[in-house]
Each structure stands twice: as C-alpha cells, then as structure tokens.
Amino acid sequence: MPASTIKSAYLRGVRQGLPFLVVIVPFSTLFGVVASEAGLNVAQVLGFSVLVIAGASQFAAVQLLTENAPAVVIIGTALAVNMRMAMYSASLTPHIGAAPLWQRALVAYFLVDQAYAVSMADYEARPAESVAAKVAFFFGAITFVCPFWYAFTLVGALIGASIPADYALDFAVPITFLAVVAPMLRTLAHVAAALTSILLALLFAALPYNLGLLIAALAAMGVGAQVELWLQRKGRWT
C-alpha cells in the first residue's frame, strides 16, 4: 500500500470520522438535556463538555450528582469509566509516540473513543505510514467529531426542555459504544473482558451510586489480562 501524504492522511481521517456524527449529534444533545435537567446552567454544561470531553464519564457523573452521591464516589466513577483512555494512550504510543510534545498533548485532549477506533484500524492497516501522517489522520478523524460534541451539547442545554419525550435520544448512547467496541473485539481476551463486564454490570446493577459499574470494569480488566497471559503461555498470543 503506497504511503500517504499528510494531506491525504488527514482527509482520509475526516472521511472515516464523519459517519460518527450520526450518533454524536443525539448523544451530545442528550447530555445537554440531562445535564440541564440535573441543575447545571448552560455555561456549566458547555464547560463540562469542553473540559472533560468524555461522554460516558459525563453521563455517569451527572447521574451521580442527581443522586447526591459523595464527591469521592463521583470522582472515582468518572475516573474508572475513563480508565480506558490510559489503555488507548498506551496502544497509540508505538504509532505516534515520536510526535512533537505539542501534538501529543493535543492528541491526549482530543482522544475520544471514535477517533481512537478509526485511528488504530488505519494504523494497523498501514504500519509503514510516517508519524506525521498518522498524527494527521487522527486530527482528521476528530475534525468534526469534537466540535459537533461541543455544539450539540450546547443545543441540548438550550432547548432540552422543548424536546418531546417521544424523541428517545438515549438510543445514541448504546449505539455509539457498540459501533466503537464491536470491531475491536478481535481476540479471546477482548471477548472475555467484554462478556465479564456485561455479566457483572447486570448482576450488580442494583448497587447504589453505579458501584456495580466499577466492580464490573475492574473484574473485566483482570479477566482480560489473565486470558491474555494464558494465551501467551500457550503460545497462542500474537
């Protein structure tokens, strides 16, 4: 496969990031609605999205705020939900770890599920690409995703109360993560971790403050790691 120029890599990233707008728009609008109904004003809702820019963590934190959960539980839950970003960063390092510090800092800020998913797929399909082309692809992927996240968070906060209840925007949340996660389940370790998290999240759903989510996430990571080690001992891990 011929190497890309920086421009062509960027445009390829834009094209691959655009389909995510189908779910980003209702997802971010829904967050704006939920956050405003939880008592945050428009500036706080928009600031939340701009500073945190992590939909799942934002939803978890807002839900716990409405339940008057202790601050330590809110912070712990938000960090646990976002723990995957540390794993995303580790897997991106072999590809763009040699980029200038300012570029890596921007990648760290704009690192979202959608950009990570399409970037890793592209990097693995084009391992010989230059670091500059890989960085350009990443920024192409987030060119519309992140601005639309901010903009429709604001829209949700401004018009949330006027959206008919029949417009079930919450469909976007599971669809977003299914679209991101499903293509990444490529090994037995991935599948074992996913199944563990699903089963335990359902089993502990009744626990207060979403503590079941924390338990499920920690257990899933442990199971995934153990399956990976088992595969390595069997010589079946590549």
Side-chain angles (χ1 to χ4, degrees):
M1 186 175 292
S4 306
T5 63
I6 292 177
K7 180 180 179 182
S8 66
Y10 173 80
L11 293 176
R12 192 171 67 251
V14 170
R15 289 195 299 272
Q16 295 192 27
L18 278 175
F20 285 110
L21 297 187
V22 174
V23 289
I24 286 294
V25 169
F27 193 177
S28 51
T29 304
L30 178 62
F31 174 73
V33 173
V34 171
S36 61
E37 289 179 348
L40 301 183
N41 61 38
V42 172
Q44 289 171 329
V45 174
L46 182 59
F48 204 166
S49 276
V50 172
L51 292 175
V52 180
I53 190 170
S57 290
Q58 292 176 228
F59 271 103
V62 167
Q63 180 185 350
L64 292 173
L65 283 171
T66 60
E67 296 175 0
N68 296 316
V72 66
V73 173
I74 297 174
I75 295 171
T77 300
L79 290 175
V81 173
N82 246 17
M83 187 67 73
R84 68 190 186 285
M85 296 299 169
M87 294 182 278
Y88 290 174
S89 298
S91 62
L92 285 172
T93 297
H95 300 287
I96 60 174
L101 178 61
W102 69 270
Q103 291 182 359
R104 284 181 283 137
L106 287 175
V107 168
Y109 172 72
F110 287 113
L111 183 57
V112 294
D113 299 288
Q114 296 81 10
Y116 172 78
V118 296
S119 295
M120 284 303 296
D122 191 78
Y123 297 165
E124 292 175 0
R126 301 167 183 267
E129 291 280 79
S130 68
V131 171
K134 290 180 177 179
V135 171
F137 179 92
F138 179 90
F139 286 125
I142 56 93
T143 293
F144 290 100
V145 169
C146 292
F148 269 67
W149 174 257
Y150 304 144
F152 280 88
T153 289
L154 180 61
V155 169
L158 290 173
I159 66 170
S162 64
I163 296 177
D166 292 342
Y167 289 19
L169 296 175
D170 52 347
F171 80 93
V173 178
I175 287 178
T176 296
F177 284 96
L178 285 174
V180 170
V181 172
M184 299 171 67
L185 300 178
R186 289 172 295 182
T187 70
L188 182 60
H190 297 160
V191 174
L195 290 176
T196 301
S197 64
I198 293 169
L199 291 173
L200 293 184
L202 293 173
L203 183 63
F204 296 122
L207 292 180
Y209 304 142
N210 281 338
L211 291 177
L213 181 62
L214 296 179
I215 296 171
L218 292 173
M221 286 189 282
V223 169
Q226 289 302 314
V227 171
E228 185 174 324
L229 290 173
W230 178 75
L231 291 173
Q232 289 175 345
R233 288 195 296 270
K234 294 290 185 180
R236 296 167 57 186
W237 180 260
T238 58

